[in-house]
Amino acid sequence: MLLNLKTIHKPATVEEAAGLLADPGVYPLYGGAALHRANRTDVEAALDLGQLGLDFVRDSENSLRLGSMLSLEAARQACLERRDTHPQLGAVADTLAADLPLTLRNTMTLGDLLVERDPQSLTLTLLLVLGAVIKRVDVDMHFTMAAWLTTDSDVARYLIAGIQIPNGPEEAVIAFEKVARTPADAPIVGAVGCRERSNEGVPYTTLALCGVAPAPVPQPELARVLDE
């Protein structure tokens, strides 16, 4: 619960939201789940981001851009619709389903997922493997997923526009495994790997683990062994 929350602002523009974030104790309220589950007592005011148009789905030549206010289920559906030509995006849809039940996917947003930075999240681990990029708009800044997961800054106060996920080649193969209390539960530990080919046609693997450290961690040495 947000015991000290006193005010909810409804900014009409990104610039207004950024100005409000300059005050201490003000936090963006994406779906709200991340702040509520963290039970933070320093949240005195929140920003309702519903008027900022951050629930977008945009295709570009090489990537899919998803807004931070998209529900996780809407993000899953967007990725699912593109899985026939982009297996990486289909894999994002699969990991979202493996991470969270439908009820939570309908209430949590991408912003919640990124702010919470769950070290056991298969989806964040896959986004790390795929080289996804996060855009922050209260200041003009981009983060690689690796930088986002390991920064010591309070990312809960950042105004996130969304995430850019590379489409990748059609012949890529992605796989993940998890250990959980039951098959439907969130993972305790997990692994995600992507196998594709370089421009020269050489196959290579990218691998990362979750649940073994404070954030999902890449495993380049093990990936090299798999490529030998």
Side-chain angles (χ1 to χ4, degrees), residues 183-208:
D185 278 342
I188 298 170
V189 294
V192 177
C194 178
R195 179 82 163 177
E196 51 190 296
R197 292 183 181 274
S198 68
N199 292 334
E200 294 75 29
V202 178
Y204 66 93
T205 303
T206 310
L207 180 71

Side-chain angles (χ1 to χ4, degrees), residues 14-220:
V14 168
E15 291 74 19
E16 182 183 354
L20 290 165
L21 281 173
D23 295 331
V26 181
Y27 287 76
L29 191 67
Y30 296 97
L35 286 182
H36 279 285
R37 285 167 24 146
N39 198 27
R40 298 186 64 143
T41 58
D42 58 337
V43 180
E44 298 180 357
L47 304 183
D48 179 340
L49 307 179
Q51 299 183 63
L52 303 187
L54 298 179
D55 56 350
F56 56 82
V57 177
R58 297 174 186 159
D59 288 291
S60 65
E61 183 178 356
N62 299 310
S63 65
L64 175 66
R65 291 179 171 88
L66 301 174
S68 59
M69 286 294 286
L70 271 182
S71 73
L72 292 180
E73 180 58 19
R76 191 185 80 86
Q77 290 296 331
C79 291
L80 198 60
E81 291 167 4
R82 293 157 176 81
R83 76 178 310 151
D84 289 344
T85 52
H86 302 299
Q88 289 91 332
L89 300 179
V92 173
D94 293 340
T95 56
L96 281 168
D99 272 337
L100 298 161
L102 180 60
T103 50
L104 280 178
R105 296 198 304 271
N106 279 327
T107 55
M108 288 184 68
T109 64
L110 274 176
D112 286 321
L113 179 74
L114 294 172
V115 164
E116 199 163 49
R117 297 193 294 180
D118 182 357
Q120 296 168 301
S121 169
L122 286 169
T123 303
L124 292 180
T125 308
L126 176 59
L127 293 173
L128 173 64
V129 165
L130 297 181
V133 175
I134 299 160
K135 183 178 181 182
R136 177 183 172 189
V137 288
D138 48 323
V139 296
D140 187 14
M141 188 177 293
H142 292 76
F143 293 81
T144 65
M145 182 58 63
W148 182 266
L149 292 173
T150 56
T151 181
D152 292 330
S153 301
D154 186 2
V155 298
R157 295 203 69 217
Y158 291 175
L159 183 57
I160 307 164
I163 188 165
Q164 180 177 345
I165 308 172
N167 290 336
E170 292 183 25
E171 69 274 11
V173 177
I174 301 97
F176 66 88
E177 291 288 347
K178 69 174 183 177
V179 176
R181 286 180 292 271
T182 74
D185 278 342
I188 298 170
V189 294
V192 177
C194 178
R195 179 82 163 177
E196 51 190 296
R197 292 183 181 274
S198 68
N199 292 334
E200 294 75 29
V202 178
Y204 66 93
T205 303
T206 310
L207 180 71
L209 304 179
C210 61
V212 297
V217 287
Q219 300 292 309

